[in-house]
């Protein structure tokens, strides 16, 4: 078997060796520092150096390597490829000339700087011809080298890591589902327990450590399990991995993500579990942060559908004059969706991608929406119908399934009146044969939309389909739409021993379990605000800090949502909901709305509640857990602004006296 080689290519002093060490530690590859390798063998001729490297890689007992530089010239690179084949990856460390020179001068002694300048000159001279050999290859990947080393490593790991799901199940039929998923959908099952036992039986270096711990009756640390996992994930060509039998101890999952990369959990649960999960159970951990994929039906396509959900978009279908344009515009305005009207959109596409075609070809339509969706990944789009309808399946194949479909149904008499009103005709006239045929064709087409939606929901399990009665007013139809898009919100606030973290956790755990069992999205608003407040990388970090600084007094709980404007808190909640991509219309908010601080007049709980109802959905239940009876009335402080008294003017002589003629007689 030929070795699998990753090259780190770039100018000197761009961090290649340091990143190489970090990567080797994370993925279990052997690191070859090319400069040190040449020095060790006292090689000065480049072609001899390449041959020596090829020989070392070919006859090594190892099979997976990271080389912290690239063979310097095109001729020598071609010798390598002819002998060992194309590399697994080439990561190009992209940095400007000024940045490289700055690094050379800042991080080198005088002698080292001179040597590195020579290397840099040689690199620039050979780069144009060398890069011709691989610049268009899929394994050639650019990374931004003008960032912290840890971030460069993280970026590269993003290209190396396979798709990984930690699978959790308890029943035999659920285990059978996992096995079918592997055999029919291309997933590789990695049994963690068997993996560890296999290393012990084969007496591998990892196995020796594990056996020693077992003999000494010491528990296996997550690190030992991770070492065995690295070999399976990065040295076996696995693209999609299902980790099974990882256990119910959270420390292994946390260690995995800390050492390697974030993962998601696949929870296969055909029957509702009746057991109450502990606070640190992995299911609750992944559920709370929105990375739990729950499969409740025996459908294999659900896994990829939930895993690869793209941009949210929906389509409104209906016959001509059914009111789909009015409805689409109203939905877009009320819920903040991006409206797609076809006529202006097609005009835009023509202008953006000019051509001689009379009609816009579908590849251009597809290209336009790919760019639009990529630039607005956090928005929801609503299409007023779809053109051309024959290309809908191809559109979905490229850009993912729609999140929702709405079909409008209108009775014939109503459709006749609306069509005539639209055309400026007499709405009460008798229906002629030609008009009747036209209306019947529209109704038949509308029925076809219903079948289309039914077919799409069957093919795409994450797509929701709705049929709305559009015979009444727009307001009536919008009321039905509200049931589709608005969340049913449950608010929980507890005041029982708030300073006691054990009791706090117990209540949180109670509601997490309820939400998991009933498919309710759980959001701990206090923890969410704290995460953004304390992490500098957060998009809302500066805004939260600034708002907290503006308070007249400072409290020891900056994570309390009551310190911040409802607009900011709602933005944080909505960002989290977008990340989780939960399909539940039920939402539980833990700790929000929150009570006022002692010296605070805004935002009041009623202000927060109003923001929740306008930004998320109607509040159905408010749960308050307290020792004492809670007043159900809203007793928010009311600020009364009284009109200030007018200042008394100093009277001048004669001012304010009645006119002389009106003076009473003496």
């Amino acid at each position: 078997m030929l070795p699998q080689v990753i090259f780190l290519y770039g100018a000197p002093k761009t961090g290649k060796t340091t990143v190489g060490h970090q990567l080797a530690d994370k993925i279990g590859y052997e690191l070859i520092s090319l400069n040190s390798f040449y020095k060790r063998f006292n090689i000065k001729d480049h072609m001899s150096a390449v041959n020596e490297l090829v020989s070392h890689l070919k006859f090594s007992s190892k099979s997976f390597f990271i080389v912290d530089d690239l063979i310097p010239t095109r001729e020598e690179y071609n010798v390598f490829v002819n002998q060992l084949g194309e590399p697994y990856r080439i990561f190009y460390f992209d940095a400007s000339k000024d940045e490289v020179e700055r690094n050379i001068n800042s991080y080198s002694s005088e002698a080292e700087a001179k040597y590195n300048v020579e290397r840099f000159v040689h690199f620039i001279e050979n780069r144009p011809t060398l890069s011709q050999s691989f610049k268009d290859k899929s394994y050639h990947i650019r990374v931004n080298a003008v960032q912290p080393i840890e971030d460069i490593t993280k970026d590269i790991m993003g290209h190396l890591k396979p798709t990984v799901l930690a699978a959790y199940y308890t029943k035999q039929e659920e285990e059978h589902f996992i096995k079918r998923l592997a055999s029919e959908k291309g997933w590789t099952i990695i049994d963690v327990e068997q993996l560890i036992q296999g290393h012990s039986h084969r007496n591998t270096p990892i196995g020796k450590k594990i056996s020693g711990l077992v003999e000494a009756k010491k528990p296996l640390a997550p690190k030992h399990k991770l070492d065995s996992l690295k070999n399976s994930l990065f040295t076996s060509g696995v693209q999609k991995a299902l980790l099974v039998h990882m256990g119910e101890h959270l420390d292994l999952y946390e260690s995995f993500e800390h050492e390697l990369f974030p993962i998601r959990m696949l929870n296969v649960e055909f029957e509702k579990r009746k057991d109450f999960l502990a606070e640190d159970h992995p299911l609750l951990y992944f559920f709370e942060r929105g990375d739990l994929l729950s499969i409740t039906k025996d459908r294999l396509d659900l896994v990829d559908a939930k895993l690869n959900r793209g941009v949210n978009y929906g389509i409104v279908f209906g016959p001509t004059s059914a009111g789909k344009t009015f409805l689409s515009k109203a939905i877009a305005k009320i819920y903040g969706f991006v409206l797609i009207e076809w006529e202006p959109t097609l005009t835009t596409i023509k202008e953006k991608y000019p051509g001689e075609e009379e009609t816009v070809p579908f590849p251009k339509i597809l290209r336009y929406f790919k760019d639009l969706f990529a630039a607005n990944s956090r928005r929801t789009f609503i299409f007023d119908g779809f053109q051309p309808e024959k290309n809908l399946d191809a559109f979905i194949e490229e850009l993912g399934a729609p999140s929702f479909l709405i079909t409008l149904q209108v009775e014939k008499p109503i459709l006749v009146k609306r069509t005539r009103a639209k055309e400026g005709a007499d709405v009460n006239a008798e229906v002629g044969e030609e008009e009747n045929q036209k209306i019947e064709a529209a109704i038949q087409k509308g029925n076809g939309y219903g079948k289309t939606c039914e077919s799409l929901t069957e093919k795409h399990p994450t797509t929701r389909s709705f049929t709305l009665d559009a015979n009444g007013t727009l307001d009536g139809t919008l009321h039905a739409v509200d049931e589709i898009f608005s969340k049913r919100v449950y608010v929980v606030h507890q005041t029982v021993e708030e300073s006691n973290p054990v009791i706090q956790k117990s209540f949180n755990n109670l509601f997490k379990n309820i939400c998991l069992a009933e498919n309710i999205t759980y959001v701990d608003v206090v923890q969410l605000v704290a995460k953004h407040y304390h992490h500098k990388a957060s998009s809302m970090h500066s805004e939260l800090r600034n708002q907290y600084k503006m308070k007249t007094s400072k409290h020891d709980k900056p994570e309390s949502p009551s310190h911040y404007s409802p607009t900011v808190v709602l933005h944080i909640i909505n960002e989290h909901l977008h990340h989780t991509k939960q399909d539940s219309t039920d939402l539980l908010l833990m700790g929000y709305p929150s009570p006022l601080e002692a010296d605070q007049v805004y935002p009041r709980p009623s202000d927060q509640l109003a923001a929740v109802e306008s930004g998320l959905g109607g509040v159905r239940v408010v749960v308050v857990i307290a020792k004492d009876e809670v007043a159900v009335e809203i007793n928010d402080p009311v600020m009364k602004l009284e009109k200030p008294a007018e200042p008394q003017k100093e009277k001048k002589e004669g001012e304010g006296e009645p006119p002389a003629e009106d003076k009473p007689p003496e």
Side-chain angles (χ1 to χ4, degrees):
M1 175 179 145
L2 292 175
Q4 185 167 292
V5 183
I6 296 171
F7 283 110
L8 307 181
Y9 175 45
K13 291 297 175 182
T14 50
K16 301 189 300 296
T17 302
T18 307
V19 170
H21 279 289
Q22 292 186 358
L23 287 173
D25 182 59
K26 286 181 178 294
I27 66 177
Y29 279 43
E30 180 181 334
L31 175 66
I32 295 177
S33 182
L34 202 58
N35 199 36
S36 301
F37 179 85
Y38 291 165
K39 286 180 180 178
R40 181 162 44 121
F41 290 97
N42 197 26
I43 300 170
K44 297 183 180 178
D45 174 67
H46 287 301
M47 193 59 73
S48 300
V50 172
N51 288 324
E52 190 63 46
L53 178 64
V54 167
S55 178
H56 176 80
L57 295 173
K58 189 181 285 187
F59 299 107
S60 172
S61 59
K62 307 283 181 67
S63 301
F64 302 91
F65 301 90
I66 295 172
V67 183
D68 70 350
D69 211 339
L70 189 63
I71 292 114
T73 70
R74 184 175 184 180
E75 292 75 21
E76 292 149 12
Y77 176 79
N78 289 337
V79 170
F80 177 93
V81 172
N82 291 334
Q83 292 288 319
L84 295 178
E86 293 183 320
Y88 177 57
R89 293 285 189 276
I90 296 176
F91 290 102
Y92 177 68
F93 282 51
D94 197 1
S96 68
K97 182 174 179 290
D98 291 343
E99 186 70 27
V100 174
E101 289 176 344
R102 190 160 43 249
N103 289 346
I104 289 174
N105 294 325
S106 301
Y107 304 111
S108 306
S109 64
E110 189 175 343
E112 287 174 332
K114 183 180 178 182
Y115 171 67
N116 283 321
V117 167
E118 291 175 357
R119 289 177 61 205
F120 187 34
V121 171
H122 190 265
F123 165 80
I124 291 175
E125 287 174 349
N126 287 281
R127 181 176 57 183
T129 54
L130 175 59
S131 62
Q132 289 296 322
S133 299
F134 51 76
K135 69 175 185 177
D136 296 325
K137 302 287 187 178
S138 60
Y139 57 76
H140 175 231
I141 301 164
R142 286 177 176 266
V143 292
N144 176 20
V146 188
Q147 59 178 330
I149 291 294
E150 290 73 18
D151 291 338
I152 300 174
T153 304
K154 187 178 178 181
D155 285 354
I156 293 175
M157 284 291 294
H159 292 283
L160 295 175
K161 68 179 185 181
T163 301
V164 177
L165 291 175
Y168 187 88
Y169 54 89
T170 57
K171 295 183 174 61
Q172 190 172 351
E173 59 267 31
E174 296 164 353
E175 182 181 19
H176 182 61
F177 177 88
I178 294 293
K179 290 178 178 178
R180 283 176 49 229
L181 184 65
S183 63
E184 296 181 31
K185 297 293 182 178
W187 290 82
T188 300
I189 294 176
I190 299 176
D191 191 317
V192 178
E193 288 182 358
Q194 289 185 7
L195 202 62
I196 293 167
Q197 291 172 6
H199 279 285
S200 297
H201 292 155
R202 295 194 306 274
N203 209 28
T204 64
I206 299 169
K208 288 177 182 178
K209 292 179 184 177
I210 293 170
S211 298
L213 289 169
V214 172
E215 288 175 11
K217 296 183 179 180
K218 294 181 179 179
L220 293 183
K223 181 183 182 307
H224 302 109
K225 297 179 181 180
L226 280 180
D227 286 343
S228 61
L229 272 171
K230 286 176 187 178
N231 281 273
S232 297
L233 288 174
F234 295 104
T235 61
S236 57
V238 173
Q239 298 298 312
K240 300 194 300 181
L242 285 169
L243 306 182
V244 301
H245 297 143
M246 284 188 71
E248 298 184 357
H249 296 289
L250 187 58
D251 56 355
L252 178 56
Y253 300 86
E254 291 179 321
S255 297
F256 184 105
E257 295 194 312
H258 177 72
E259 293 293 327
L260 298 175
F261 49 85
I263 59 174
R264 303 174 79 178
M265 175 166 271
L266 179 67
N267 177 37
V268 185
E269 186 180 354
F270 295 150
E271 294 180 15
K272 275 190 181 181
R273 295 190 184 90
K274 297 178 181 179
D275 54 329
F276 195 80
L277 303 176
E279 173 70 27
D280 60 351
H281 197 285
L283 278 181
L284 293 184
Y285 172 76
F286 284 97
F287 170 70
E288 182 179 2
R289 75 181 206 191
D291 286 322
L292 182 71
L293 308 180
S294 288
I295 306 298
T296 57
K297 299 178 182 177
D298 192 0
R299 286 190 60 169
L300 298 178
D301 56 352
L302 273 169
V303 177
D304 278 339
K306 290 196 173 193
L307 187 62
N308 301 313
R309 294 184 71 172
V311 170
N312 288 328
Y313 73 94
I315 307 170
V316 179
F317 292 107
T320 303
S321 301
K324 65 178 185 295
T325 299
F326 284 109
L327 184 65
S328 300
K329 287 180 177 179
I331 291 172
K333 184 178 180 180
I334 295 169
Y335 301 101
F337 297 171
V338 179
L339 175 66
I340 303 297
E341 294 183 273
W342 279 101
E343 292 308 317
T345 299
L346 292 173
T347 302
T348 302
I349 296 172
K350 282 181 180 179
E351 293 171 354
K352 191 170 183 178
Y353 313 114
E356 297 181 0
E357 312 96 344
E358 289 187 13
T359 59
V360 181
F362 179 68
K364 288 185 178 181
I365 294 175
L366 201 58
R367 181 182 172 189
Y368 172 79
F369 282 108
K370 276 185 178 179
D371 293 342
L372 185 65
F373 283 8
N376 299 273
S377 60
R378 298 185 174 218
R379 303 294 302 274
T380 297
F381 295 80
I382 184 165
F383 287 75
D384 176 14
F386 192 88
Q387 296 183 20
E389 293 170 13
K390 64 179 182 179
N391 291 321
L392 180 56
D393 285 336
F395 185 91
I396 291 172
E397 184 70 26
E398 287 289 332
L399 295 174
S403 305
F404 61 90
L405 303 167
I406 297 174
T407 305
L408 302 182
Q409 286 189 340
V410 184
E411 293 175 0
K412 185 176 178 179
I414 303 294
L415 202 60
V416 169
K417 288 183 178 182
R418 288 181 183 175
T419 303
R420 288 176 173 179
K422 191 175 179 181
E423 296 172 352
D426 183 2
V427 297
N428 296 315
E430 288 189 16
V431 178
E433 186 177 343
E434 185 178 342
E435 185 183 21
N436 186 62
Q437 288 177 355
K438 185 179 175 182
I439 296 295
E440 286 290 344
I443 292 173
Q444 191 173 353
K445 193 172 183 180
N447 293 334
Y449 290 136
K451 293 177 182 177
T452 298
C453 293
E454 188 178 328
S455 172
L456 288 174
T457 52
E458 183 63 30
K459 285 183 191 176
H460 308 286
T462 57
T463 299
R464 297 184 300 157
S465 181
F466 307 92
T467 301
L468 299 184
D469 182 351
N471 289 293
T473 63
L474 178 62
D475 285 344
T477 309
L478 284 174
H479 181 72
V481 168
D482 190 59
E483 293 293 315
I484 300 171
F485 296 114
S486 290
K487 298 281 187 185
R488 296 186 290 266
V489 183
Y490 312 98
V491 172
V492 179
H493 182 76
Q494 72 94 6
T495 61
V496 179
E497 297 191 46
E498 291 179 279
S499 60
N500 190 326
V502 176
I503 293 183
Q504 196 84 8
K505 277 189 174 182
S506 297
F507 281 119
N508 288 358
N509 189 36
L510 168 67
F511 286 99
K512 282 182 197 175
N513 274 274
I514 292 172
C515 290
L516 177 60
E518 301 300 329
N519 190 31
I520 300 171
T521 302
Y522 175 92
V523 180
D524 188 329
V525 184
V526 177
Q527 292 301 317
L528 203 56
V529 169
K531 175 184 171 184
H532 285 271
Y533 182 89
H534 293 293
H535 288 75
K536 292 182 179 179
S538 162
S539 59
M540 298 302 295
H541 172 77
S542 297
E543 181 63 32
L544 291 173
R545 292 270 173 163
N546 290 337
Q547 287 200 12
Y548 189 64
K549 284 179 184 176
M550 291 174 66
K551 292 181 62 68
T552 55
S553 67
K554 306 295 183 289
H555 303 272
D556 60 353
K557 293 182 178 178
E559 62 273 10
S560 173
S562 67
H563 292 316
Y564 311 103
S565 70
T567 304
V568 167
V569 177
L570 263 290
H571 178 82
I572 290 171
I573 293 171
N574 278 313
E575 251 197 359
H576 174 74
L577 294 176
H578 174 82
H579 164 73
T580 61
K581 291 187 180 294
Q582 299 274 7
D583 53 9
S584 173
T585 55
D586 294 293
L587 171 65
L588 186 143
L589 299 179
M590 195 76 182
Y592 193 77
S594 55
L596 294 169
E597 300 294 336
D599 61 340
Q600 184 174 314
V601 295
Y602 180 84
R604 304 167 300 173
S606 58
D607 299 319
Q608 300 170 40
L609 197 62
V612 167
E613 292 216 302
S614 62
L616 294 172
V619 174
R620 303 299 177 94
V621 177
V622 177
V623 179
V624 179
I625 304 169
K627 284 184 177 180
D628 305 315
E629 187 175 348
V630 178
V632 296
E633 301 87 4
I634 295 177
N635 293 315
D636 288 341
V638 178
M639 295 183 67
K640 293 183 179 180
L641 299 178
E642 296 182 1
K643 185 178 179 181
E646 293 184 5
Q648 296 291 324
K649 292 184 179 179
E650 199 174 316
K651 291 184 180 179
K652 297 179 181 177
E653 189 176 349
E655 187 178 5
E657 296 181 6
E661 62 266 27
D662 295 332
K663 284 185 178 181
E666 294 182 4

